Each structure stands twice: as C-alpha cells, then as structure tokens.
Amino acid sequence: MTGASGTPRLYGELAPWWPLISPVEVYEEDAATARELFGLAPRPVREVLELGSGGGHLARHLRDTYRLTLVDLSPEMLAVSREVNPGTEHLTGDMRELRLGREFDAVLVHDAVDYMTTAADLAATFRTARAHLRPGGVAVFFPDHVADTYEPVTDCGGSDAPDGSGVRYLEWSLPPEPGATSVRTDYSFTLRAADGSVRLVHEAHHTGLFPVARWQELLAEAGFAVTTVTEQGGAERTLFAALRPPA
C-alpha cells in the first residue's frame, strides 16, 4: 500500500516516526564502510551527493567529514533529515532523473537503491550517478540484497522516545517469483503515541532483486570501472564501488 502520491506510507505519513523505526546509531558501521569505499577513488573525496538520503541518518555520521548534498523523493523524509542535519543542502528529486548540472567527488546510494525494481530503473540511477561525478570520482551502492545470495527473512525492531511514544515493527520478506526482478516484503508497524493511543499500519514494499553480474554489466554500460565488495560477517551484503575513469 502506498500513499496518495505513490510514495510508501513508511516514507510519507509515517516519516515522523523514522527516528524510532531506524535510529541514527544503526548507521554508524555503514558510514565507516562508505568512507572506506570512498578511499578507492583516485581523487580526494570532499563533496558527496547522496541519492535517496531518506531521514538523513547515514548522513549524520558523514557530515563532519564531507560536504554533503542530500536528495530524496519524499518531502516528508527530507523534513526529518533537516532536523538531523541542519545546515546541510537538501533537495527533492528522483534518482532516476535528477540532473543538478554540477559534479561531486563521490555519489552515495544507500539501500534506497533497492526500490529500483527494473533493469531500466537501475540503469537510469547509474547514469544519474555518472552524470554527477567528477573524473576520478566514485559512486558507492549499498543494496540490501542481490539475487545470488538472497534469502527471505523475518525480522523485528523499533525503539522508544523519552516522551513515551514508541514503535515496534515486523518485517517479513517472501521468496521471489521465478524470473522476477523484484521481491515483496510485508511490514507491520505498531505505533504508540505519547498519550498512550496505539494504531497499527501494514504495507507491502517491492524491492529490486538482480544478480551481481547484472549489476556489473549495467554499471559498465554506464561508463564505470566496477569494484565488487562482499562484507564479511553479519548480513554479508554485496556492495559496489563504481569509478569514473580519470580524464
């Protein structure tokens, strides 16, 4: 289910709950990984464009090191991010179509890239990243899963605020259909307001599922030299660092 704008409710009407659904501290390790991958660029990385920046929780751990420009499709999520990252540039835009007319040392796309459910959408995102990179820059992608290693999961989480409000959620992903390039995950949210009132929200999210070879192929077609990194331990995600060759 999505809101009237087509944006998932999680990133629209539920955006004010984001700090409790996915707290800032959860992103510290991914920020450290992003720094390591930025280090693959042959040029110094000082200016970073983040596409699909969401509530700005990853940016919170990077803003003291880099000059950030944060872009997201959801005005509600950008409002959350502005509270977390005051003084940082925020822009509304679609990672498939954005053209700012300027270049950066690095482009970062965290798990928002998962919402590219067709090869055409994924390729368009890669072209956007390439269009905003200086020669010698690097684009870094953090998909939650690739088809080669995907396994359905059930997970839960949430946290509480000092005012008594809180969130708990259940995440339940399903096996992909044969030949599909996307997978369905159901989310159920229990939201407790500060006055003690409780409501339940459910919605299904459809996210992309592509083999590593397809990622590499599409990145190469966009003009990148591709480095594939597999994390060790934990979720063992497959990440991609795509270099724009120096001029």
Side-chain angles (χ1 to χ4, degrees):
M1 182 182 297
T2 60
S5 67
T7 301
R9 295 173 69 186
L10 176 58
Y11 309 127
E13 67 175 274
L14 301 187
W17 296 92
W18 186 252
L20 298 180
I21 294 171
S22 191
V24 168
E25 56 268 22
V26 171
Y27 295 79
E28 187 171 0
E29 290 186 8
D30 280 2
T33 300
R35 289 189 190 94
E36 290 181 15
L37 295 177
F38 290 162
L40 296 175
R43 67 176 300 123
V45 173
R46 299 186 179 93
E47 294 181 284
V48 177
L49 170 65
E50 184 179 358
L51 302 174
S53 55
H57 290 183
L58 181 59
R60 173 62 186 85
H61 298 285
L62 298 171
R63 72 184 193 202
D64 294 335
T65 307
Y66 309 102
R67 187 187 311 164
L68 301 177
T69 296
L70 307 181
V71 177
D72 199 87
L73 192 58
S74 166
E76 294 88 349
M77 291 295 278
L78 288 172
V80 174
S81 182
R82 288 188 181 97
E83 292 290 325
V84 176
N85 301 293
T88 301
E89 182 179 21
H90 289 79
L91 301 170
T92 303
D94 187 323
M95 68 175 70
R96 295 164 294 187
E97 302 172 355
L98 183 75
R99 294 295 184 272
L100 297 178
R102 51 193 169 106
E103 295 178 336
F104 300 79
D105 303 313
V107 174
L108 172 61
V109 191
H110 198 244
D111 54 7
V113 76
D114 290 332
Y115 288 92
M116 304 299 103
T117 58
T118 68
D121 284 343
L122 197 59
T125 298
F126 297 161
R127 290 193 296 271
T128 296
R130 177 65 171 73
H132 291 90
L133 271 183
R134 296 185 175 111
V138 63
V140 175
F141 301 89
F142 278 73
D144 275 339
H145 41 245
V146 293
D148 312 63
T149 55
Y150 174 78
E151 293 184 4
V153 298
T154 300
D155 198 5
C156 60
S159 59
D160 301 312
D163 66 0
S165 62
V167 176
R168 295 296 182 271
Y169 70 83
L170 174 67
E171 172 187 354
W172 175 18
S173 60
L174 303 178
E177 298 292 334
T181 62
S182 65
V183 65
R184 171 174 168 152
T185 301
D186 285 283
Y187 290 92
S188 296
F189 300 95
T190 302
L191 311 169
R192 185 188 65 229
D195 64 6
S197 61
V198 174
R199 67 179 174 123
L200 305 178
V201 175
H202 161 265
E203 69 175 352
H205 288 223
H206 295 270
T207 52
L209 188 65
F210 302 93
V212 169
R214 189 63 168 142
W215 274 83
Q216 294 169 332
E217 176 187 15
L218 293 173
L219 284 166
E221 289 177 358
F224 289 112
V226 186
T227 297
T228 304
V229 178
T230 301
E231 291 182 312
Q232 300 302 313
E236 296 189 357
R237 292 172 302 178
T238 299
L239 311 180
F240 300 89
L243 296 173
R244 175 178 176 180

